[in-house]
Amino acid sequence: MHKLWDEIEKRCSDKTMVYITHDLEFAASRKDATKIWVKSYQGDSTWEYSILDSNDDIPDRLYFEVLGSRKPVLFVEGEKGSYDSHLYSYIYDGYNVIPCGNCYNVIAMTKAFNNEKVRTLHNNSIFGIVDRDYMTREEINGVENNNIKVLSIAEIENLYLLEGVVRAVAENQGLSADETFESVKKFVFEEFSKEKELQICKMCERDIHHKLKGYSVGTQPTKVFLREQLNTVIEQINTDSMYEEYEKQINRIVAEQSYDKLLLLYNRKSLHKRVSSLFGLAANEYPNLVLRLLKTEGGKVIIDSMRSKCPDQPDV
């Protein structure tokens, strides 16, 4: 349809084309067009509408979807049809869950739609949720001041590995919940031990990136000052000390066998698929089974377990 109307517009360049559509993708495909959002018609020749200014910070498709939503909006990581959007739609069932790629897009879109100019166009409450990944405490505090919340685990895939979820799925499979959880816990700790140094280095890497973002040449930059400031920032980054601090933290978790604390830090997206055999399932089938169980009567137990590690539903 896009190609058809593109060709018609080329052949009718002396005409003004007016489209009336509910198809958001088609509306977004009309480049360089004046776009009018018809909000309502009162039946007495009274129309409520807004002429939409182009917004370089927001893709048109996303712009239209948010403006047309009757629910508060929750931006999440991932793509449509991904684990992220599936899980969040159950955990936050009162929200219009919109995946928008990576954490940087979630943060950028949440800020953009809460911008004062854009907020005049809609009455929606706009929130975002991002994975914790290797965020520093300073980073978390920074993003949470912008209607953005951070998971209490390293990444959304770790929700599948929570003790309550593992036990519920084991019981559904006719397995011992205690034995299955212990097997999963052992597997997760063993896998982490294989890449302990990698995980610690990733934590340090994120910390270093955050510190480098604080680099500034000040109000009177010079060539000499440029180098001096960079050297000052680098001198303040002690990688050995940083590594040792994270290693101590990790060693305590391993010594205590604290499963919840490990899920808070362990960032490995394939992990939830690799436990499938522990439930007597085919390779990579475990997350699919969990998603199917969410639709059953027993799904409430799983959802409640996942909600315990997700931010509370924001007030709207």
Side-chain angles (χ1 to χ4, degrees):
M1 186 169 65
H2 299 178
K3 291 180 180 179
L4 170 64
W5 286 105
D6 284 346
E7 188 62 29
I8 292 173
E9 287 182 13
K10 287 179 185 177
R11 293 170 181 265
C12 301
S13 58
D14 60 332
K15 304 289 193 298
T16 297
M17 311 293 289
V18 179
Y19 300 100
I20 301 173
T21 181
H22 289 283
D23 187 332
L24 302 183
E25 288 189 8
F26 178 74
S29 74
R30 299 303 92 194
K31 305 300 181 186
D32 302 319
T34 299
K35 297 183 176 70
I36 302 173
W37 174 30
V38 181
K39 300 179 182 179
S40 66
Y41 174 63
Q42 305 303 327
D44 56 357
S45 299
T46 302
W47 295 82
E48 183 185 6
Y49 66 90
S50 292
I51 298 176
L52 303 179
D53 293 329
S54 60
N55 192 310
D56 294 336
D57 296 326
I58 305 173
D60 280 352
R61 178 65 178 79
L62 194 60
Y63 202 22
F64 302 151
E65 185 170 356
V66 171
L67 295 182
S69 176
R70 297 184 180 182
K71 297 179 180 179
V73 171
L74 181 64
F75 290 128
V76 300
E77 297 183 46
E79 308 297 333
K80 283 192 179 295
S82 67
Y83 293 133
D84 308 50
S85 56
H86 276 307
L87 288 184
Y88 282 132
S89 63
Y90 284 99
I91 296 168
Y92 298 96
D93 55 354
Y95 289 76
N96 179 11
V97 176
I98 302 178
C100 50
N102 59 38
C103 67
Y104 301 106
N105 287 340
V106 173
I107 293 170
M109 291 302 101
T110 306
K111 287 182 178 179
F113 277 101
N114 282 301
N115 176 281
E116 186 175 346
K117 183 178 179 181
V118 178
R119 280 206 62 81
T120 61
L121 292 174
H122 66 84
N123 297 316
N124 290 327
S125 298
I126 310 291
F127 302 94
I129 292 182
V130 295
D131 292 351
R132 180 170 293 257
D133 288 324
Y134 302 106
M135 275 192 191
T136 65
R137 172 44 59 186
E138 289 178 339
E139 284 183 282
I140 293 171
N141 291 341
V143 300
E144 287 191 334
N145 291 329
N146 294 288
N147 275 19
I148 298 158
K149 301 295 182 181
V150 180
L151 285 176
S152 297
I153 51 176
E155 55 191 358
I156 190 171
E157 286 82 359
N158 284 4
L159 290 177
Y160 290 91
L161 298 171
L162 294 174
E163 180 175 354
V165 178
V166 169
R167 288 181 175 276
V169 177
E171 290 174 358
N172 179 79
Q173 296 299 97
L175 303 171
S176 165
D178 290 339
E179 291 178 6
T180 304
F181 172 66
E182 286 304 317
S183 296
V184 170
K185 180 179 176 179
K186 180 182 177 183
F187 172 80
V188 172
F189 270 97
E190 286 177 347
E191 291 302 302
F192 180 79
S193 67
K194 295 175 185 177
E195 53 177 326
K196 175 183 171 183
E197 185 172 13
L198 169 65
Q199 291 289 323
I200 295 175
C201 285
K202 286 291 186 180
M203 295 173 195
C204 293
E205 178 185 52
R206 183 66 180 246
D207 216 341
I208 292 169
H209 283 173
H210 182 64
K211 292 181 185 301
L212 290 175
K213 284 180 181 178
Y215 173 80
S216 171
V217 294
T219 56
Q220 295 180 323
T222 64
K223 181 179 179 180
V224 173
F225 191 68
L226 191 70
R227 180 178 295 278
E228 288 177 349
Q229 279 296 91
L230 179 59
N231 289 337
T232 299
V233 172
I234 292 174
E235 286 170 3
Q236 293 173 349
I237 300 174
N238 186 329
T239 55
D240 288 343
S241 175
M242 190 183 295
Y243 186 97
E244 289 168 6
E245 187 59 37
Y246 280 122
E247 187 175 32
K248 287 179 183 177
Q249 184 180 353
I250 294 298
N251 287 341
R252 282 196 299 268
I253 291 172
V254 173
E256 297 168 358
Q257 287 290 286
S258 178
Y259 186 67
D260 283 349
K261 289 181 180 178
L262 187 65
L263 294 183
L264 177 68
L265 298 174
Y266 192 8
N267 201 312
R268 177 56 60 211
K269 287 191 176 297
S270 63
L271 205 59
H272 65 308
K273 296 179 179 179
R274 287 154 54 198
V275 300
S276 297
S277 62
L278 301 178
F279 295 84
L281 300 169
N284 302 329
E285 185 59 25
Y286 174 69
N288 295 323
L289 173 60
V290 173
L291 289 174
R292 291 197 297 271
L293 291 177
L294 292 179
K295 302 174 184 178
T296 68
E297 291 183 4
K300 185 178 183 304
V301 175
I302 295 174
I303 293 170
D304 287 345
S305 293
M306 291 182 171
R307 278 180 178 152
S308 69
K309 295 298 180 182
C310 291
D312 293 336
Q313 295 205 12
D315 296 328
V316 296

